[in-house]
Amino acid sequence: MTFADAPTLQHAAVRLERLDQSHREDLAAAVRPGELWRTWYTAIPSPEGMAADIDRRRAEHAAGRVAPWAVIDTSTGTAVGVTTYLNLDQTHRRLEIGSTWLARRAQGTAINPATKLLLLRRAFDELGCLAVEFRTHWHNHQSRAAIARLGAKQDGVLRSHRILPDGSVRDTVVFSILHAEWPAVRAGLVARLPPAEEWQ
């Protein structure tokens, strides 16, 4: 078992499947409402760029640098987003959950907490991680609030961290959850899911 493996992960609310081109049409449809790819502080592919983005993630996966999943809404069987393990550091037992986006209709539902429950459960309980990181743009207040709501602690801000395609410079906010904090984070996530949401 390596950090770059991407097995199917299942919960009643969501299924995470290894990303491939079979998800392209669903994902292209998922970004159209609200034209999510136009949000300046995120990197969400356009419908026309979805195939290339999937190929890029799959190439990174083949090289052992990431583990990419399509996020499947089990109520419809359709892909509504993407999430990834990246910055894999198996030696020091750390990884980042990132490069994540969800269709507008999936935001604010059980899909995101169930997804994080699956990913964190694998990271801590199966892979033995000591810490899991989350990183986001300083101006992505929605993402920062969602990460904090998980129970992650803010480690700091990497100022002038990255130059974005539009030429703007990103300050990156870094959060993490430690292994010792995982039981409380898990309890918080479970409490956010309807009682009927059982592991499958």
Side-chain angles (χ1 to χ4, degrees), residues 17-24 27 54 58 70:
E17 298 176 353
R18 185 172 56 195
L19 181 69
D20 62 39
Q21 289 295 344
S22 68
H23 302 114
R24 179 181 57 82
L27 294 174
I54 292 170
R58 284 174 54 79

Side-chain angles (χ1 to χ4, degrees), residues 150-173:
L150 291 174
K153 306 293 192 300
Q154 183 173 316
D155 294 322
V157 181
L158 303 176
R159 301 183 68 193
S160 295
H161 181 225
R162 294 173 60 189
I163 300 173
L164 301 182
D166 66 359
S168 64
V169 178
R170 163 175 154 157
D171 289 348
T172 298
V173 188

